[in-house]
Amino acid sequence: MENTIQGERITPINIEEEMKDSYLNYSMSVIVARALPDVRDGLKPVHRRILYGMQELGLGPTRAHKKSARLVGDVMGKYHPHGDLAIYDTVVRMAQDFSLRYPLVDGHGNFGSIDGDGAAAMRYTEVRLTRVAEEMLADIDKETVDFVPNYDETLKVPSVLPAKLPNLLVNGSSGIAVGMATNIPPQNLREIVTACCQVIDNPAITVDELMQVVLAPDFPTGGMIYGMNGVRDAYRTGRGRIVIRAKVNTETVKAGRDRLVVTEIPFQVNKSRLIEKIAELVNDKLIEGIADIRDESDRDGMRLVIELKRDAPADVVLNQLFKHTPLQSTFGVIMLALVDGVPKVLTLKEMLEHFVHHRHEVVVRRTQFELKEAKAREHILEGLQIAIDNIDEVIEIIRAAQSPEVARLELMSAFGLSEKQAQAILDMRLQRLTGLERQKLADELRALKELIVELSHLLEDRQARMNLIKEELIELAEKYGDNRRTEVVEDGEELSLEDMIAEEDMVITISHAGYIKRFPVSGFRRQLRGGRGSTGAATKEEDAVQHLFIASTHNYLLFFSDKGRCYWLKVFKAPQMGRAAKGKAIINLIDIEPGEMIRAIVNVSEFRDDQYIIMATRNGTVKKTSLSAYSNPRRMGIIAINILEGDELIGAAVTDGTNDVVLGTSGGKAVRFHESDVRAMGRGTTGVRGVRVRDGAYVVGMVVVKRGGTLLVATEKGYGKRSNIEDYRVTKRGAQGVLTVRTNDKTGRMIAIMEVVDQDDLMIITANGVVIRQGVELIRTIGRATQGVRLIRLDEGDSIADITKVVREEKETEGVERVDAPFTLEENPDINQLES
């Protein structure tokens, strides 16, 4: 319906439909004519027009460079009517060896850097085609591709390039269209050529078979592909996620310092921004251990040096850098390209097939053109041959003719020549009548006939054409192919939090109210027996420290509760706090039930079938279970032992199946038996009797005898002693035991029993939070039935809450002095070797 208003004709249009149609037209224009590459030559229109414009300007690889401004102006005026800056930016990227695996433009001048520096203005730089780009344009003048009108229909431009080079695969492409995007990684030319040949030889080949030769993408900046799963997905489906890491070497310099040296970075990572990111993380203390960063890169290659602090673990710092900086980046593969003008996500095999099909079409059209040209030349030469064979008659006809037109007609009539042959005779120079020229004519005619036969055969035999394509590709690989730059790590794993935690020995403390924390074991200086100790945890009277344990940050902690349940936790997940800090509620780390108390902590590095967990309860029950049964506990915990009413778990330890077990009771008695007396059971069982307790006594500790040292026992009033393990004879489990320490009102009940050697240190913690560390060799080895000696001087009302041992380094035994007052941390304490 049309309306006429003041002489104007107005056609009503539905705005919704108009917007839909207009946006669709815009979208298709962006998709087809701007943002996506053609699967055949791997080029977008702007790249194709630039290369064609360079050839038209005569900027071949053997010619002199010309100003970039000249090229940009020519391309903009003739083929690409858009902004000059957009064209120049495209030229710049085609010249950067860190952007394209095989650059298509040979640039002279400043074309930017991997640091993100921009190129010089186009009036300062010069360009010409590279030899690889010349292969893209080869045979374009032989009617191998269709030409289409330019934007104003005054010139013709190629719709696609002949492209001997499989450019889309070897150089890749990226672009954002409307509603879709492409991101194709570059590949190695030699691998792609081999794969093309395999596709030609075996059209039924699978992607997995092609991946035997096409290992992975090959980025111009090198680096390392970490894991093949993303590569396989990309090649099989056209989409994948590839993890790329920088190449980093560790160098050791003087004074015990290490440095990380980065020689290659991931593709499309800006080196300057990378350095800035690392510096920000160091300043924000998100990454520790880095002392300095400097860029020593030069024309010989990249060298980014990261100096580490003294004793900083290089592997941990490197893992932190991989996790938090672009030293590890992800390349999201979307192999989207235009196939017959339609965008399509392609597999590796499909991309190879489309390229081979394009090359086959180019070879057919090139052969047809060359055959047509050869036959046309043969036709002319045959006419010249007739003229030479009848030269006297030809001269006579020409001399008698009134005009060239008459002569041409007379020659055509006399010798049965075509118009072109007759004209060629008229145009022939007299020097062709010499003997040498006549021989050249005959040789050329014979060669032409052989060429025509060869070209005719090529057009008739598809296999011959395929063989020719293979030969041209192999020649291309020999001329321009090179070794891979990007290494491949087959089984790349995701970085876990553990990879970014330095391995260090920690003291784990758990209070009566269920608060846990960790701090370095090196934080305590050794003291002689009888010292006053230092405060190790800020505790209230009603929240005394109950347990102290030592473990490496990378180990697993198995928490065994008094109710017989087991909980699993990595050591580094326990909060690290100062000695006087309260800690964090353990209920927030493991889902322990209200009122449940942790009675044993087992430190393990791996869960093995040939090792066992042996447990003991307050009422004297023991149980043994394979360690592998605890490899996958749930967050809510799992059953470790079935606890009877009125009983509770008091200890658990790892054994190898050949150890003796000693159980000590609060009455000062102990029983020793071989663990073979306890058969291995499942997790849900109760166990068997280990020791018989009477008169209100209960089990206070369990020792798994491993080192053949001495047994140390301690009482709640601060007394203790060592006795030889041999003093405890081996009996059957279930006995009442023998006397190990004489208990009375002065000493209090026995509260701990453990195996020690002279090289151990003791770490004692009291209910009030006082900690003392002392050498075991200072405690005399005496008989079983004695009272013992004072281990720690306790304040009024204080008592020992827990005790553990530490294996020390040799240098710690030198120059030890008695300290009777509380001490503070050393400024730079040494890390001790620990044994849980």
Side-chain angles (χ1 to χ4, degrees), residues 89 141 260 265 307 384 463 479 610 622:
D89 286 344
D141 55 347
L260 301 175
I265 61 176
E307 296 282 357
L384 295 179
Q463 188 58 46
K479 288 171 65 176
D610 59 350
V622 292

Side-chain angles (χ1 to χ4, degrees), residues 82-98:
H82 300 283
D84 57 346
L85 188 59
I87 299 173
Y88 183 55
D89 286 344
T90 304
V91 173
V92 167
R93 187 178 183 278
M94 294 168 73
Q96 292 173 337
D97 58 3
F98 54 87

Side-chain angles (χ1 to χ4, degrees), residues 702-703 710-713 752-756 762 803-805:
M702 176 183 67
V703 173
T710 57
L711 280 182
L712 182 141
V713 295
I753 182 170
M754 65 184 65
E755 182 189 13
V756 295
L762 282 186
I803 183 170
T804 190
K805 58 182 177 289

